[in-house]
Amino acid sequence: KAVASFPQILGYSIEENLKPTVQWLNDLGLSDLQVAKAVASFPQILGYSIEENLKPTVQWLNDLGLSDLQVAKAVASFPKILGYSIDENLKPTMQWLNDLGLSDLQLAKVVASFPAILCYSLEENLKPKYVFLQGHFTSQ
């Protein structure tokens, strides 16, 4: 499945890309089955730099208050989170959620339970839905 959706994976080095990234994901706390599912759904992960892309995102998630176990679960359930820019995507969404009044603990719980929220478009998805919910379900 990974080859069919992302044939470039065949150009990656086994020793420089594939083995180290699989090992890093295992060390993060993902089981072999979780790694296989993560790669099947997001094969590009095998091409990312561990030092420049993967570790900084995991550190950022830890800094939000997610435990190592919560980070592993977030990556296992939504591996694409590791492919998004911290500054361009993740931080702005977190700031917006924070501006809504969520505490740090609440933010960590939201990300741990639904990591994909960090990757939704603020302008095209989250803000319009929030306005809709505010308009229809806020007590007057």
Side-chain angles (χ1 to χ4, degrees):
K1 183 178 177 185
V3 172
S5 67
F6 189 70
Q8 296 90 323
I9 198 171
L10 295 174
Y12 291 162
S13 164
I14 292 172
E15 297 301 322
E16 292 179 23
N17 299 99
L18 306 181
K19 283 183 180 180
T21 305
V22 168
Q23 183 60 54
W24 183 83
L25 289 166
N26 283 143
D27 293 345
L28 187 63
L30 277 69
S31 68
D32 289 340
L33 179 60
Q34 288 173 316
V35 171
K37 287 181 179 180
V39 170
S41 70
F42 188 57
Q44 295 89 334
I45 196 173
L46 294 175
Y48 287 143
S49 165
I50 292 171
E51 295 300 322
E52 294 178 22
N53 300 101
L54 305 180
K55 282 185 179 180
T57 302
V58 167
Q59 183 59 54
W60 185 80
L61 291 168
N62 283 139
D63 291 346
L64 287 179
L66 275 72
S67 69
D68 290 342
L69 180 61
Q70 287 174 315
V71 170
K73 286 182 179 180
V75 170
S77 69
F78 191 71
K80 288 181 182 179
I81 196 170
L82 296 175
Y84 282 83
S85 165
I86 293 170
D87 292 327
E88 305 269 323
N89 303 99
L90 307 180
K91 278 184 182 178
T93 303
M94 283 303 293
Q95 184 58 55
W96 180 74
L97 291 169
N98 188 264
D99 291 346
L100 293 180
L102 275 69
S103 70
D104 290 346
L105 180 60
Q106 289 171 321
L107 289 170
K109 286 182 179 180
V110 166
V111 173
S113 64
F114 188 57
I117 195 169
L118 293 178
C119 305
Y120 287 173
S121 167
L122 280 172
E123 299 305 322
E124 295 176 22
N125 193 321
L126 297 176
K127 287 181 180 181
K129 287 179 182 166
Y130 178 75
V131 169
F132 173 82
L133 292 171
Q134 279 285 51
H136 288 83
F137 299 108
T138 303
S139 57
Q140 306 293 330

